[in-house]
Amino acid sequence: MNLPNKLTLLRIFMIPLFLVFMEVNGIPNRFIWAFIVFILACFTDTLDGYIARKNNLITNFGKLMDPLADKLLVMAALISLTSKQHVPVWVTVVILSREFLVTSIRLIAAGNGKVIAADKWGKMKTISQMIWISLELLYFTVQYNAMGISCMVLMYITVFFTIFSGYNYIKNNLEVFKG
């Protein structure tokens, strides 16, 4: 297993640690720790892609698992923030619906021997989600009003990229449903 794939697995293993900090009362500065773990997990996403492209270490495992790791991280954060009434339920439902739909298409394609990598819109969606959630986590700890407005603007930008990238993904992969 190459280094980019190990970083992808590390991101997946960081999710339970993130959730411990988000959900377990009594841990000092737990939301700051959750923010730090989330940022580090996001950094592994950037790093694994950079290393894989630079050293020509792109694998089918990475094409499939890297986006899945991103989705798991984002889902964990959204569900946790929604349970704390910090993110609207409708936003979480829209984002999770898109993620399940795209993952289902990827799994169908994989069953037919085809690996579908993320396109530029999917990457923009992931970047916007990670930036928005990072800011939400930071706002959750400091409650600075101007940051709350920025979170709301980023939330709508993220919802736009989520919907648009999902539409684009379906449109570009309709052949998965044929036959």
Side-chain angles (χ1 to χ4, degrees):
M1 179 165 291
N2 65 30
L3 180 58
N5 292 341
K6 288 177 183 175
L7 288 169
T8 296
L9 289 176
L10 176 62
R11 185 162 59 260
I12 292 170
F13 292 134
M14 292 174 86
I15 295 167
L17 179 62
F18 166 78
L19 288 172
V20 164
F21 288 127
M22 286 298 291
E23 300 301 326
V24 176
N25 294 326
I27 299 174
N29 302 310
R30 67 189 180 112
F31 297 120
I32 293 170
W33 286 112
F35 169 76
I36 291 168
V37 170
F38 187 84
I39 291 292
L40 289 173
C42 292
F43 179 70
T44 67
D45 181 40
T46 303
L47 188 60
D48 72 24
Y50 172 77
I51 292 169
R53 284 185 297 279
K54 181 180 181 213
N55 298 307
N56 198 24
L57 297 173
I58 297 169
T59 64
N60 283 341
F61 177 87
K63 287 181 192 176
L64 188 64
M65 291 305 294
D66 181 66
L68 184 60
D70 297 341
K71 286 171 183 20
L72 293 171
L73 177 63
V74 166
M75 286 181 190
L78 282 176
I79 291 169
S80 184
L81 287 168
T82 301
S83 75
K84 294 174 180 5
Q85 299 167 351
H86 199 68
V87 169
V89 171
W90 73 267
V91 171
T92 300
V93 169
V94 166
I95 292 172
L96 295 183
S97 296
R98 185 265 186 211
E99 301 304 348
F100 282 121
L101 179 64
V102 168
T103 299
S104 297
I105 293 170
R106 274 201 173 107
L107 290 173
I108 292 167
N112 294 324
K114 181 180 180 190
V115 175
I116 305 172
D119 67 4
K120 68 178 179 179
W121 294 109
K123 290 177 184 179
M124 289 296 296
K125 179 262 320 169
T126 300
I127 290 167
S128 70
Q129 287 175 347
M130 288 180 172
I131 290 171
W132 166 57
I133 290 170
S134 296
L135 193 60
E136 287 285 351
L137 290 167
L138 191 58
Y139 175 67
F140 197 67
T141 63
V142 297
Q143 299 288 314
Y144 180 63
N145 286 339
M147 192 181 293
I149 294 167
S150 299
C151 286
M152 188 173 66
V153 170
L154 279 171
M155 178 186 76
Y156 284 109
I157 290 169
T158 297
V159 168
F160 168 78
F161 277 127
T162 299
I163 292 169
F164 182 78
S165 67
Y167 163 79
N168 191 57
Y169 194 88
I170 292 167
K171 180 184 70 133
N172 292 335
N173 294 289
L174 284 174
E175 74 276 356
V176 169
F177 297 107
K178 294 180 181 170

